[in-house]
Amino acid sequence: MDIDIGYNMDNSPLETLLLSISRPGDFYAHGRLFAPMPKLEVDNVGVLSFPVTEAQVRALINTAERAPYGKGTDTLVDTTVRDCWQIDGMSIDIGGAMWDDTFSRILIAAATDLGCRAERLEAELYKLLIYEPGGFFASHRDTEKTRGMIATLTISLPTVGVGGELSVRHQDREIVIDMNANEPSELVFAAFYADCTHETKPVRKGHRLSLVFNLCLHQDDTETPRQAPDHIDEVESIVQQLVHWRDSEQSSDKLVWLLEHDYSEAGLSFDTLKNTDDAWARVLGMATDRAECEMYAAIVHIKEEGEALYPDGDYVDSWYWRENEVDDMEIGEVFDGSYWLDNWSGRDGSRPPLQMIPLYAQELLPVGALDDAEPDEQWLHEASGNEGVSLERAYRHAAFVIWPRSKTLDILAEAQIGSAVAWVAEQLECNGGVADEQVSALVLRLIDIWPSGPRDHKAQSRIDMLHLLTAVEDETLTVRFLRQVVLLHYNGDENEALLAALGEIPMDAIGEFLVDLIRARFVIRTDATLAFLRGVGESMSTARNDVLEVSVRTALSLLPESMEKRIEDDKWNSESEETISDQAVCDLFTLAWRCDLMDDAETAALAITDYPLAVTPDRTIPAALGELYSETGLADTAAYTNLWRHATEFLLTRSELPPEQPLDWRITADINCHCEYCTKLRAFCKDPSTQIARFPLRKDLRAHLHKIIDYNQLDLTHETERRGRPYTLVCTKTRATYRRRLAEYTEDVSCMRLLIRFAPGGQWVKFCTTGLARLQQAVTAAHGM
């Protein structure tokens, strides 16, 4: 079944023009050359003679290793797939007086037939392959072994042998090449693009020796821009078609032209394009410039899931399929699919900051290019519920992607707002860092199309945008972004960038934004907003504290609501933190002190005592008081004293005396179940002298007791003794509760020491005398344990 995505049926004139462009070269090259033989020396073997003798072939095999093959990310040795030997190119020295001239002739012939520039083609010796009688290599594609690799060159050395033909396939074409070199001065070579499927047929008699080279295209920085003088008429016609498409309100946003050859994600580049693809790139490059369009190379990704069918059309049964049948299965009705573009490459060799962009129906050209395409990967999904077995297939294909330059920002923003921000930042950089009218218009457009839904949950996009606004230095744009975007999505990750951006706007705008930010986000982002206010306070001069004062007063007034949110159902407000941190408490009261808002702070401190689950009095408050104590004069306030007394009373209530060590093996067991087995378990828990109990029970009853023990968090371990029938559940009492309480007590005493150290001063000492004395006694008691 064909891939379930529609083609662009409205651009047939453009398609016809591009398909008419002459094709330089072909997918393969082949030739025979009679020339002086090279001096070829192999480590541990010596210099070879030609034709290579049987004795030397044996010596080569003795120093060689079995040649592996690649399967996915794995490298495997399997002689049912590949049966030959290999010697690494590092162990081979090839030279001789005439070799450079001979090899140059081979490279020029290969480049000409492949349709690429000989002066940019480089060859790297990869392996020497030795095929014995029966040796072969099943159909496969070569992997990209080095940067810029586009093709493989194989040169057969003079050796007595029959068979071992090379079959190369590309799309619907196949060529079978006789690679035998039987004459003493004969070299047989073949080159083919790396994405071509090929195989080495079995050697029927004798041997075959092949030098294998990786062919790479190197980029010459001195090279003049590519020209296509043979296609001037086509370029003019293509420009007209692109302009018509660009200006049509009914046209698709993008044109995605599928390439003929396959390219790896790392190897896709305008500098490594092969024959026809290279010709298309040159023509389209000139045309898109004149039509004011952008053009990139990218990888098309297609994933589709549908009904799993056997080749005869029968549905796959959920119980009886075998793993080795998956590759032969077909996909029936497609019920889910995803289509996108990524791995972008610019015409100048750059990797532009573009991310995943959706691929939509009616954008692909040429029509039918993916018909009968073979998937790169496919997976079978087991039946579940009412759904049968499904087959998922993944395809990847290289393409040119074209869109009107005027739509760039909208296209990028629709996919990933971060890509759009990065692109605008790149335009600013290309403009020398100066925000002219065009750049400012792009920034304004970016703000106005910023997504308001969950797609903007990535704070990094907002951070990058704030950096961009700081560089643009336009207060109107900055204020607009703060009010339209930041107020809606702020989570604190952007604090540093936000502080820098505030430096670009006037003080009255800062004041309005701060108050609105606190009102909008303080309740669910208490820690973050207080950290931001701390940063604002540290960056402001004394004369500006009136702006900060209003914001801090607003935060103090909202503290009860913030704490209440933290003890409500998580479903009501999933964004909020579970508790308010000691740093946030410290920030709030430090800011209140510096803004002379201690009356409001006292009210807030009293409110904290009503919400011990939101601001924990045993850990959060002692830690916060330690920081607040360093603020000169703050410890001599009612707010500080109220916090101190709240923490003191809580800790003394729980840990004024050390926990008593258990005197027997009685454990608390509030078990609601009254079945026979839970009754026995309850009696065991109440037994003061018995530590271990044994319950011979069948599996479901053992599972029931497991659940009861775990649900009620009983101080019991439970293990199944698998001897006899039924198996026995062995329950052993532990001191887990006492150990947990002892650890809690140790932490409580440490916090008490903090409270002693940071007790209130001044006029508030008299309100703390009793509590301070009790803390000291409790710490002394702990010391005596």
Side-chain angles (χ1 to χ4, degrees):
M1 183 173 179
D2 295 337
I3 294 172
D4 190 23
I5 184 170
Y7 292 93
N8 188 318
M9 308 299 292
D10 299 327
N11 274 292
S12 56
L14 175 63
E15 178 181 337
T16 301
L17 284 168
L18 286 171
L19 292 177
S20 69
I21 293 173
S22 60
R23 298 168 176 240
D26 212 334
F27 66 90
Y28 76 97
H30 166 55
R32 292 179 178 272
L33 189 67
F34 292 91
M37 287 295 100
K39 179 182 179 183
L40 199 155
E41 186 174 358
V42 180
D43 292 353
N44 302 319
V45 175
V47 178
L48 300 185
S49 58
F50 298 108
V52 182
T53 65
E54 178 75 22
Q56 285 189 319
V57 172
R58 289 291 107 206
L60 290 170
I61 292 174
N62 288 337
T63 195
E65 61 180 0
R66 279 284 178 190
Y69 74 100
K71 184 177 183 181
T73 58
D74 299 325
T75 300
L76 308 174
V77 173
D78 184 347
T79 55
T80 66
V81 176
R82 186 182 194 185
D83 186 5
C84 71
W85 300 87
Q86 69 176 27
I87 296 175
D88 190 88
M90 297 295 292
S91 300
I92 301 169
D93 183 31
I94 184 168
M98 296 298 295
W99 174 244
D100 286 347
D101 180 67
T102 300
F103 193 61
S104 177
R105 291 165 60 190
I106 292 174
L107 278 185
I108 291 173
T112 300
D113 289 349
L114 292 175
C116 54
R117 302 180 184 182
E119 67 272 16
R120 290 186 52 215
L121 198 63
E122 294 181 342
E124 298 177 357
L125 180 59
Y126 179 54
K127 303 283 187 184
L128 171 63
L129 300 182
I130 306 108
Y131 288 87
E132 298 181 275
F136 73 102
F137 193 175
S139 181
H140 66 286
R141 289 181 179 179
D142 286 342
T143 58
E144 183 181 320
K145 305 176 184 70
T146 185
R147 181 175 177 81
M149 177 181 169
I150 62 161
T152 297
L153 169 67
T154 178
I155 300 177
S156 290
L157 300 174
T159 315
V160 176
V162 178
E165 294 87 356
L166 176 66
S167 171
V168 185
R169 290 181 294 279
H170 180 59
Q171 297 181 343
D172 57 350
R173 299 176 61 204
E174 179 179 7
I175 184 73
V176 177
I177 303 171
D178 179 5
M179 294 298 296
N180 286 299
N182 295 317
E183 294 292 327
S185 60
E186 182 182 21
L187 295 173
V188 179
F189 67 89
F192 48 88
Y193 282 110
D195 63 315
C196 294
T197 302
H198 57 282
E199 65 177 302
T200 298
K201 305 287 188 179
V203 172
R204 299 188 294 277
K205 182 180 178 182
H207 300 87
R208 188 182 133 196
L209 272 63
S210 297
L211 291 171
V212 180
F213 296 82
N214 299 324
L215 295 183
C216 310
L217 282 179
H218 72 86
Q219 175 65 40
D220 185 356
D221 293 335
T222 64
E223 187 177 37
T224 58
R226 297 179 176 182
Q227 301 294 326
D230 296 336
H231 304 298
I232 294 300
D233 294 339
E234 291 96 327
V235 169
E236 182 59 37
S237 298
I238 290 172
V239 169
Q240 294 175 14
Q241 293 299 322
L242 287 176
V243 169
H244 175 73
W245 164 76
R246 181 198 69 193
D247 295 338
S248 173
E249 294 182 359
Q250 288 76 39
S251 66
S252 60
D253 285 342
K254 303 187 293 290
L255 291 177
V256 180
W257 182 269
L258 298 164
L259 305 187
E260 280 201 351
H261 288 273
D262 189 25
Y263 302 87
S264 70
E265 295 187 10
L268 178 60
S269 166
F270 279 84
D271 294 317
T272 57
L273 295 174
K274 304 162 187 174
N275 51 49
T276 308
D277 298 337
D278 185 30
W280 284 335
R282 298 185 192 189
V283 173
L284 280 172
M286 289 186 287
T288 51
D289 283 344
R290 292 173 56 184
E292 297 183 352
C293 292
E294 298 287 347
M295 176 182 172
Y296 298 95
I299 297 293
V300 172
H301 292 272
I302 297 174
K303 276 191 177 182
E304 293 186 332
E305 186 174 358
E307 300 168 319
L309 305 175
Y310 286 114
D312 60 5
D314 288 343
Y315 289 99
V316 176
D317 190 286
S318 60
W319 296 105
Y320 298 106
W321 61 272
R322 293 183 295 273
E323 187 67 32
N324 61 3
E325 296 178 320
V326 176
D327 289 342
D328 296 326
M329 290 180 184
E330 301 292 336
I331 194 167
E333 181 181 356
V334 174
F335 47 74
D336 190 26
S338 54
Y339 315 88
W340 72 96
L341 300 150
D342 68 7
N343 199 78
W344 300 87
S345 179
R347 287 163 56 198
D348 58 356
S350 65
R351 292 288 181 178
L354 310 180
Q355 301 176 35
M356 292 172 54
I357 292 180
L359 171 67
Y360 296 115
Q362 314 307 319
E363 291 185 339
L364 287 177
L365 282 172
V367 174
L370 292 178
D371 291 357
D372 302 320
E374 292 295 326
D376 292 273
E377 295 180 89
Q378 64 181 31
W379 311 268
L380 207 61
H381 299 291
E382 295 282 4
S384 60
N386 296 324
E387 297 180 355
V389 178
S390 63
L391 186 68
E392 184 178 5
R393 287 183 162 184
Y395 304 81
R396 51 170 300 284
H397 202 98
F400 296 137
V401 185
I402 299 168
W403 62 70
R405 195 161 293 153
S406 60
K407 292 184 179 180
T408 297
L409 194 60
D410 295 76
I411 288 173
L412 298 183
E414 180 189 15
Q416 298 268 351
I417 193 66
S419 290
V421 175
W423 182 79
V424 175
E426 190 177 72
Q427 307 312 302
L428 178 64
E429 183 179 349
C430 292
N431 207 42
V434 178
D436 58 12
E437 184 176 337
Q438 182 179 1
V439 171
S440 295
L442 289 173
V443 175
L444 175 60
R445 176 64 179 160
L446 189 56
I447 296 170
D448 289 343
I449 63 175
W450 200 278
S452 59
R455 288 190 299 141
D456 185 48
H457 281 184
K458 291 183 179 179
Q460 189 59 50
S461 301
R462 299 191 296 279
I463 293 170
D464 293 342
M465 184 63 176
L466 288 166
H467 288 317
L468 175 60
L469 288 165
T470 303
V472 169
E473 299 180 337
D474 186 314
E475 65 180 55
T476 302
L477 293 174
T478 301
V479 171
R480 191 170 185 140
F481 182 72
L482 295 180
R483 305 206 68 82
Q484 289 186 200
V485 177
V486 176
L487 287 180
L488 185 64
H489 298 291
Y490 170 86
N491 71 355
D493 291 342
E494 59 271 72
N495 277 357
E496 183 178 348
L498 191 53
L499 283 171
L502 288 186
E504 304 300 323
I505 65 178
M507 188 53 56
D508 58 344
I510 293 177
E512 291 177 8
F513 170 73
L514 290 178
V515 171
D516 289 343
L517 179 67
I518 296 299
R519 288 172 178 166
R521 307 299 285 176
F522 178 82
V523 170
I524 58 175
R525 295 293 181 188
T526 305
D527 285 35
T529 50
L530 287 172
F532 178 58
L533 284 179
R534 169 171 31 98
V536 172
E538 291 170 352
S539 63
M540 279 187 168
S541 64
T542 305
R544 297 176 174 180
N545 277 351
D546 55 335
V547 170
L548 185 63
E549 178 184 331
V550 177
S551 301
V552 175
R553 180 179 285 117
T554 304
L556 287 165
S557 68
L558 289 172
L559 184 63
E561 184 180 348
S562 172
M563 293 186 294
E564 189 173 340
K565 285 284 189 282
R566 280 153 181 74
I567 60 175
E568 292 181 359
D569 190 341
D570 286 342
K571 294 180 181 178
W572 197 95
N573 191 349
S574 59
E575 271 198 279
S576 61
E577 305 97 341
E578 291 183 4
T579 61
I580 297 175
S581 71
D582 57 285
Q583 182 62 58
V585 173
C586 178
D587 289 340
L588 181 63
F589 288 94
T590 300
L591 287 165
W593 171 252
R594 293 175 183 176
C595 292
D596 196 20
L597 296 172
M598 294 315 293
D599 289 342
D600 300 85
E602 182 179 359
T603 303
L606 290 173
I608 284 176
T609 64
D610 295 330
Y611 297 96
L613 296 179
V615 182
T616 57
D618 57 338
R619 300 293 179 262
T620 301
I621 293 180
L625 290 174
E627 292 294 324
L628 292 171
Y629 193 84
S630 63
E631 188 76 16
T632 303
L634 204 160
D636 302 339
T637 64
Y640 184 94
T641 302
N642 288 335
L643 293 175
W644 186 91
R645 294 178 67 185
H646 177 47
T648 296
E649 187 60 33
F650 187 94
L651 287 169
L652 288 173
T653 299
R654 186 168 69 188
S655 296
E656 187 165 9
L657 296 174
E660 294 184 1
Q661 186 171 354
L663 300 177
D664 55 38
W665 285 107
R666 250 187 299 259
I667 63 175
T668 302
D670 296 327
I671 302 173
N672 292 326
C673 180
H674 297 284
C675 71
E676 172 188 352
Y677 310 102
C678 285
T679 300
K680 292 180 180 180
L681 181 64
R682 193 182 296 108
F684 166 59
C685 291
K686 292 180 179 179
D687 189 332
S689 58
T690 304
Q691 186 184 3
I692 300 175
R694 302 170 63 83
F695 300 89
L697 297 170
R698 65 176 187 262
K699 183 177 181 180
D700 61 320
L701 296 176
R702 295 198 308 273
H704 174 66
L705 288 189
H706 283 185
K707 183 177 179 180
I708 292 295
I709 293 169
D710 294 342
Y711 178 79
N712 291 278
Q713 297 183 339
L714 302 180
D715 286 354
L716 294 175
T717 61
H718 49 83
E719 296 181 354
T720 299
E721 185 181 89
R722 301 181 183 277
R723 290 185 297 178
R725 291 290 181 177
Y727 291 162
T728 299
L729 183 68
V730 180
C731 296
T732 305
K733 293 176 181 175
T734 68
R735 302 292 194 200
T737 297
Y738 173 70
R739 288 195 296 270
R740 286 194 298 270
R741 175 68 190 104
L742 195 61
E744 181 183 62
Y745 172 75
T746 301
E747 279 195 74
D748 284 353
V749 171
S750 296
C751 290
M752 290 181 193
R753 290 192 177 97
L754 283 177
L755 293 175
I756 292 171
R757 181 180 174 187
F758 301 123
Q763 62 177 318
W764 303 101
V765 172
K766 58 186 177 182
F767 297 101
C768 306
T769 303
T770 301
L772 187 60
R774 290 174 61 194
L775 286 173
Q776 291 169 337
Q777 290 173 0
V779 170
T780 300
H783 185 69
M785 286 183 62

